[in-house]
Amino acid sequence: MRATVALRNAARTPLIRFVGRRSVPKSIDHTPRAHPASPSGILPDSFAAYRIKAQQHGPLGRASFSQDSVGRSAGASLGPVQPAQGEFFDRADLPARFHRLKWTEAEMEAIETGGASLFA
């Protein structure tokens, strides 16, 4: 007997059983509303007005960042790029106590063997 053919011909019954008939609401209210967790509780006037006030990695409005302003002046004219007092750009500039520690032979062996060398 070919089991796959018998299984393919068998009627499939779903494991989920729904109670009652499926009913679609007669009318659905699609009017825009502010989210219940909104801090102001009001909708913005328009999407353009929202974008002017929105911030995501800087202003989203075109007035603050346009293609014409990119590359208009040299980077050196923006001033020196130096970290402020107490700030560091690289880990190597930090005091020695914050440098990365060297791997020991035992640690390298444990990594290469997947930890098996610790129990051998």
Side-chain angles (χ1 to χ4, degrees):
M1 178 175 156
R2 289 187 266 165
T4 55
V5 174
L7 287 174
R8 207 175 280 158
N9 292 337
R12 183 180 171 279
T13 58
L15 297 175
I16 299 173
R17 299 196 190 279
F18 296 98
V19 179
R21 294 181 51 95
R22 180 177 177 182
S23 62
V24 180
K26 300 281 187 242
S27 64
I28 300 173
D29 184 20
H30 288 288
T31 57
R33 289 186 297 261
H35 192 274
S38 170
S40 64
I42 58 171
L43 289 173
D45 299 332
S46 66
F47 186 69
Y50 162 76
R51 281 186 60 89
I52 290 171
K53 293 184 265 182
Q55 294 272 334
Q56 179 183 5
H57 311 297
L60 293 175
R62 291 205 179 257
S64 62
F65 181 77
S66 66
Q67 294 291 14
D68 299 336
S69 66
V70 176
R72 188 170 275 188
S73 59
S77 68
L78 298 175
V81 181
Q82 296 296 326
Q85 181 66 25
E87 293 180 357
F88 299 93
F89 287 155
D90 192 36
R91 179 174 271 190
D93 298 336
L94 291 170
R97 65 184 173 148
F98 297 111
H99 287 195
R100 288 196 164 98
L101 298 176
K102 301 284 185 202
W103 292 92
T104 64
E105 289 293 325
E107 289 172 328
M108 287 190 280
E109 183 68 24
I111 291 170
E112 290 174 358
T113 62
S117 63
L118 297 174
F119 301 104

